[in-house]
């Protein structure tokens, strides 16, 4: 929902507004810049810096020590399921690796671990998550910026969108608390808080992994480029009503067509249209192949017979039984009496597919053995 809000802000901002956008975790900034140029009507510059201002070192907590991540992978060393958190924080404080953010998956765990470590002498520990009041969270963030806190147990609310740089980030879990692995982008967001520009020469990222099998995934996430941002644009009722009031229905449709979602899907839309055109061409080709081409084709014979039947029914005298009897085989083809009394002409469907009237009632053929093969095939069809 925040992404939708940002799109609306960009689209509705006055053309005279100058926009400056900063991010360390967007992989398709060039695409966003191209969209901005299209919808804002002025050149957009895309600047990319690949070098990190404060380099980072990644390690793994293991039995009271910190091993470099690549060594822990080679030696298959892990932290275990329940690390002694008071001991972890004491070591960070002793080695000068505070302040630190310790990311854990749930609010309840934040509160429990903060209470558990608060009794350690010399440590100032807090919890930070979305279940707290805004005033409490802002107060904790100010304490962190003033250097009054050693560690904060937090959820991903401190991973993005808030200015909370620290010297050390501890990734306290490799799943989200429901058994799902933490996405690589979120790992990058959390780790990105480690290293304060102008204060630290190096930032530290320490991983607490229950098994050694989790470590290669962390190594992969560390080196992956940022994910692309994909639009989830969906106009709210408030936005639609406001647009209709201000610019009318056509203006509201134009607004939606200028969204980042529409911009991103231009190629998909064009490809879908090409696929539809190709399918239409192929369908017309197949219909041409299947079109009846000769009188032996049942697709030609049966419509002709139905049309002739309707025409003859209009010529029959009123008041009689004006329906054709079931056909039967005869030497001339398939015979149909004009009415149940077998009076006057009989309608004949020949093997060649023609219809004609016979002035007499032909005899039924005795059996299939004496039938002309064309007649037999015609009746069977």
């Amino acid at each position: 929902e925040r992404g939708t809000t940002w799109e609306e802000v960009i689209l509705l901002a006055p053309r005279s507004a100058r926009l400056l956008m900063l991010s360390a975790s967007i992989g398709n900034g060039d695409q966003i810049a191209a969209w901005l140029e299209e919808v804002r009507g002025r050149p957009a510059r895309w600047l990319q810096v690949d070098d990190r201002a404060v380099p980072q070192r990644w390690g793994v907590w293991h039995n009271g020590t910190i091993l470099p991540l690549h060594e822990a992978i080679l030696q298959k060393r892990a932290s275990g399921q329940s690390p002694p958190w008071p001991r972890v924080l004491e070591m960070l404080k002793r080695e000068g690796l505070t302040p630190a953010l310790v990311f854990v998956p749930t609010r309840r765990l934040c509160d429990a671990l903060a209470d558990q470590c608060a009794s350690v002498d010399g440590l100032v520990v807090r919890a930070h998550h979305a279940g707290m009041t805004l005033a409490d969270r802002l107060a904790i963030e100010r304490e962190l910026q003033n250097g009054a806190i050693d560690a904060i147990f937090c959820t991903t609310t401190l991973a993005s969108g808030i200015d909370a740089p620290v010297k050390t980030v501890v990734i306290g879990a490799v799943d989200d608390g429901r058994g799902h692995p933490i996405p690589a982008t979120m790992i990058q967001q959390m780790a990105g808080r480690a290293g304060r520009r102008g204060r630290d020469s190096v930032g530290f990222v320490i991983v607490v992994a229950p098994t050694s099998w989790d470590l290669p995934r962390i190594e992969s996430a560390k080196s992956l480029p940022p994910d692309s941002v994909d639009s989830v644009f969906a106009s709210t009722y408030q936005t639609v009503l406001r647009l209709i009031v201000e610019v009318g229905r056509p203006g509201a449709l134009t607004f939606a067509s200028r969204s980042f979602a529409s911009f991103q899907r231009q190629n998909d839309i064009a490809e879908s249209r090409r696929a539809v055109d190709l399918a239409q061409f192929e369908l017309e080709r197949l219909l041409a192949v299947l079109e009846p081409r000769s009188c032996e084709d049942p697709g030609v014979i049966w419509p002709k017979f139905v049309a002739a039947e309707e025409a003859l029914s209009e010529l029959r005298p009123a008041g009689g039984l004006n329906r054709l009897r079931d056909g039967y085989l005869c030497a001339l083809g398939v015979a149909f009496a004009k009415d149940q009394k077998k009076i006057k002409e009989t309608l004949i469907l020949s093997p060649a597919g023609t219809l004609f009237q016979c002035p007499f009632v032909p005899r039924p053929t005795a059996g299939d053995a004496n039938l002309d093969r064309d007649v037999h095939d015609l009746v069977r069809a």
Side-chain angles (χ1 to χ4, degrees), residues 235-255:
S235 295
T236 62
Y237 289 117
Q238 294 88 336
T239 303
V240 172
L241 289 174
R242 177 186 170 189
L243 287 169
I244 290 177
V245 169
E246 293 186 359
V247 299
R249 185 173 181 274
L253 294 174
T254 300
F255 175 83

Side-chain angles (χ1 to χ4, degrees), residues 52-365:
R52 183 180 175 84
V54 180
Q56 291 181 336
R57 294 179 183 174
W58 289 59
V60 177
W61 167 270
H62 175 70
N63 291 340
T65 62
I66 298 176
L67 298 175
L69 177 59
H70 66 279
E71 290 187 13
I73 293 174
L74 292 175
Q75 299 176 20
K76 297 183 179 180
R77 303 293 177 87
S79 308
Q81 291 290 344
S82 300
W85 286 107
R87 187 181 171 194
V88 173
L89 296 190
E90 284 180 323
M91 189 210 68
L92 295 180
K93 176 80 170 182
R94 183 175 64 250
E95 299 296 332
L97 299 179
T98 56
L101 295 180
V102 183
F103 288 98
V104 292
T106 65
R107 303 175 185 179
R108 182 178 299 177
L109 193 56
C110 285
D111 293 332
L113 294 179
D115 291 341
Q116 179 183 339
C117 296
S119 59
V120 178
D121 291 338
L123 281 178
V124 180
V125 183
R126 298 284 188 269
H128 187 291
H129 53 72
M132 303 170 63
T133 66
L134 178 59
D136 288 342
R137 281 182 283 161
L138 291 176
I140 292 171
E141 291 166 24
R142 283 193 295 269
E143 285 187 282
L144 177 65
Q145 292 167 359
N146 294 332
I149 295 178
D150 294 310
I152 298 179
F153 285 95
C154 56
T155 58
T156 53
T157 54
L158 278 179
S160 58
I162 298 175
D163 182 21
V166 292
K167 187 168 189 175
T168 302
V169 162
V170 180
I171 300 178
V174 294
D175 61 55
D176 61 0
R178 296 185 294 271
H180 303 297
I182 297 176
T185 298
M186 184 54 64
I187 293 174
Q188 294 171 353
Q189 290 273 14
M190 292 187 291
R193 299 298 172 183
R196 298 165 296 180
R197 187 169 188 171
R199 292 191 182 185
D200 303 317
S201 58
V202 178
F204 296 89
V205 182
I206 300 173
V207 180
V208 176
T211 69
S212 60
W213 299 104
D214 300 305
L215 299 180
R217 183 166 59 84
I218 300 295
E219 173 68 25
S220 175
K222 178 172 72 76
S223 56
L224 283 175
D227 284 344
S228 296
V229 172
D230 294 322
S231 173
V232 290
F233 178 81
S235 295
T236 62
Y237 289 117
Q238 294 88 336
T239 303
V240 172
L241 289 174
R242 177 186 170 189
L243 287 169
I244 290 177
V245 169
E246 293 186 359
V247 299
R249 185 173 181 274
L253 294 174
T254 300
F255 175 83
S257 69
R258 296 171 63 235
S259 68
F260 187 45
S262 177
F263 182 84
Q264 282 189 306
R265 293 166 190 154
Q266 287 177 351
N267 292 336
D268 294 339
I269 293 171
E271 185 63 31
S272 297
R273 286 174 177 166
R274 284 193 292 270
V276 169
D277 292 342
L278 180 61
Q280 181 69 26
F281 173 79
E282 184 65 13
L283 179 61
E284 292 175 356
R285 186 187 68 81
L286 291 174
L287 286 175
V289 170
L290 295 174
E291 185 178 357
R293 294 180 303 278
S294 68
C295 61
E296 289 84 9
D297 194 324
V300 172
I301 296 173
W302 183 248
K304 284 185 177 180
F305 171 74
V306 172
E309 177 187 354
E310 293 175 351
L312 288 173
S313 66
E314 296 177 358
L315 301 176
R316 293 175 187 145
L321 296 175
N322 297 325
R323 74 173 183 83
L324 295 175
R325 292 175 55 86
D326 292 337
Y328 61 91
L329 299 176
C330 66
L332 300 175
V334 182
F336 298 88
K338 286 189 62 176
D339 56 47
Q340 289 184 333
K341 297 180 181 179
K342 300 182 181 178
I343 299 175
K344 299 181 180 178
E345 296 88 2
T346 299
L347 187 65
I348 303 295
L349 177 63
S350 74
T354 59
L355 292 167
F356 62 91
Q357 296 184 43
C358 181
F360 58 91
V361 179
R363 280 187 171 186
T365 303

